[in-house]
Amino acid sequence: MAEDWDEETTAAGIEDPAEAIRRNRATLTVLTGNATGQTFKVKKAVLIGRSPKAEIRIDDDGMSRSHARIHYEAGAAWVEDLASRNGTFVNGERIAAAVKLEDGDKIQVGRATVLRFAFQDALDESFHENLMSSALRDGLTKLFNKRYLLDRLDSELKFAVRHEAALSLIMLDLDHFKRINDTQGHLAGDAVLSHLASVLTRAVRNEDVVARFGGEEFAIVLRAIGIEHAAGLAERLRKLIENTAIPFQGRELKATVSIGVAGYPSTPVKTPDQLVEAADQALYRAKHAGRNRVSR
């Protein structure tokens, strides 16, 4: 039995079995709403709201900019409402003052968002992170997948419309990718996709969302970036990829991309699908004009 524990805890990156099962990690998991499934670690004071400054930023129609705050200290946690418009509820009861949270308590903030407070051990935390990673990330490139991208794009667009902020979407497509697979093999194609993913991730900000949209197509969501600056970034990415040598089995592969850019409010879209369609049409124009170029 001890050997089993050693294997499990080592696999989770935890050396001490006793520490692995010590439930001392406070977490909030989103049960309903736009961010369903996401888990947030609670450390000291955590602000929940629609404000960009919130550690837990959730775009819910009934959410105030600074809606509620969780305080965590010495193994205990309290939640307080910050004079929000629609109130904060714990297990269905609206709170008027700070309330101490117990393991399993459910906190409603906004109209549709319910959070579950829990103390997790290191194994719980590792399991949940792996589960979320497999559900939200592409297996080959480790980028976010299309499902996650569309969910984030929905919340980011709502935020941009509400606050009259800019939002841009870049769509990239590898040029002649079928030719790479046919002449170099599928392993070479996988190497190109993985390397491109790492190039894109390093080239953008931490708050930008890079995703594999499908096949050889990638997407980048740029918060608070107008279409002019987004197009400039797209051109820099195009040149970077064109000049990048991709190592594969002792040789170097080369690739280029066609890029389409769309942005709000320059494109008066109302839904994420419309923004994707606008960026996709721009991508089509780039490919139709000869590939290895940017269009918007």
Side-chain angles (χ1 to χ4, degrees), residues 27-141:
T27 62
L28 288 169
T29 300
V30 185
L31 299 182
T32 64
N34 291 332
T36 298
Q38 291 191 45
T39 293
F40 301 92
K41 298 176 183 179
V42 178
K43 295 181 179 180
K44 295 185 178 179
V46 177
L47 176 64
I48 303 171
R50 289 191 292 106
S51 168
K53 297 180 180 180
E55 287 82 8
I56 301 178
R57 187 167 83 83
I58 300 175
D59 194 19
D60 184 315
D61 286 341
M63 185 86 68
S64 297
R65 288 178 60 82
S66 298
H67 195 102
R69 182 177 283 113
I70 307 288
H71 298 273
Y72 180 63
E73 187 176 0
W78 289 263
V79 58
E80 65 169 330
D81 182 71
L82 299 178
S84 66
R85 182 178 61 196
N86 293 309
T88 300
F89 298 77
V90 175
N91 298 327
E93 297 290 333
R94 184 165 184 164
I95 63 174
V99 171
K100 185 176 181 180
L101 293 170
E102 302 295 337
D103 194 27
D105 279 350
K106 295 178 177 60
I107 307 164
Q108 180 180 339
V109 285
R111 293 175 183 168
T113 302
V114 176
L115 307 164
R116 181 180 183 272
F117 175 81
F119 289 104
Q120 293 185 344
D121 58 43
L123 289 176
D124 287 333
E125 188 175 76
S126 176
F127 172 77
H128 189 86
E129 287 177 353
N130 290 335
L131 188 66
M132 287 300 296
S133 179
S134 64
L136 300 178
R137 291 190 180 271
D138 172 62
L140 174 65
T141 64

Side-chain angles (χ1 to χ4, degrees), residues 164-214:
E164 298 182 344
L167 177 69
S168 291
L169 176 65
I170 294 176
M171 300 287 285
L172 307 90
D173 191 88
L174 273 163
D175 296 327
H176 304 298
F177 183 67
K178 184 177 184 299
R179 184 185 301 170
I180 296 174
N181 280 332
D182 290 345
T183 60
Q184 305 292 335
H186 287 279
L187 289 180
D190 288 349
V192 170
L193 291 171
S194 296
H195 197 81
L196 175 58
S198 65
V199 169
L200 295 176
T201 302
R202 292 195 302 269
V204 301
R205 305 170 302 175
N206 290 337
E207 61 264 37
D208 298 327
V209 179
V210 184
R212 186 180 180 188
F213 200 72

